[in-house]
Amino acid sequence: MIVILGILAATAAPKFIDLTGDAKASVIKGVKGALNSAVDLAHAKALVAGKISAAAAGQAISVGSSNILLNYGWPTKESIASLIAIDSDIVTSTSTTSITFTHANATDGTECLVTYTNTVTNSETRPTIGIDTDKC
């Protein structure tokens, strides 16, 4: 009986010992899914409202209690975070062209993240949502 338990422990345990990386990657994939849904819903509302011009004053929609700024009908990087609920495990940072959502406990701060970039030049081109889960 002890031999059987030893064999099971040696073969099965490594598969279950460290699942934290997979869990962090799943969180980041969930953020990407939330971003995709939020972007599509905001864009649909912008299309209905006729707000599909370049970013300018008046190019905004109201979603709940948030005022969502738009660029060709797509949420800007400044507005996208207010469309999704973000856990305390996610850290946001912005650059001149994008907003990045990184897992706070990532192995490498340059990976285990999802990035939203809205540099579109028309209402038909979707903003870019990139993901990197290599070192979660």
Side-chain angles (χ1 to χ4, degrees):
M1 183 64 141
I2 293 175
V3 172
I4 293 172
L5 289 175
I7 292 171
L8 284 174
T11 57
K15 294 182 181 180
F16 301 106
I17 287 178
D18 189 13
L19 297 177
T20 58
D22 292 339
K24 288 183 259 186
S26 293
V27 168
I28 293 300
K29 289 175 185 174
V31 172
K32 182 183 181 197
L35 283 171
N36 277 316
S37 296
V39 167
D40 289 340
L41 290 171
H43 186 64
K45 188 168 184 175
L47 287 170
V48 170
K51 307 253 179 161
I52 57 170
S53 299
Q59 290 301 311
I61 56 172
S62 178
V63 176
S65 61
S66 298
N67 191 39
I68 306 302
L69 302 175
L70 302 169
N71 181 34
Y72 291 101
W74 301 101
T76 63
K77 69 175 176 71
E78 294 82 10
S79 295
I80 192 65
S82 61
L83 288 174
I84 61 174
I86 302 172
D87 278 346
S88 59
D89 288 342
I90 302 299
V91 177
T92 60
S93 59
T94 57
S95 71
T96 55
T97 59
S98 64
I99 183 168
T100 301
F101 302 88
T102 308
H103 199 286
N105 299 318
T107 305
D108 181 342
T110 63
E111 298 179 12
C112 199
L113 53 82
V114 62
T115 303
Y116 176 79
T117 307
N118 182 349
T119 55
V120 299
T121 57
N122 62 62
S123 63
E124 296 173 8
T125 304
R126 197 172 195 284
T128 304
I129 300 174
I131 188 168
D132 186 345
T133 57
D134 285 344
K135 292 188 179 177
C136 287

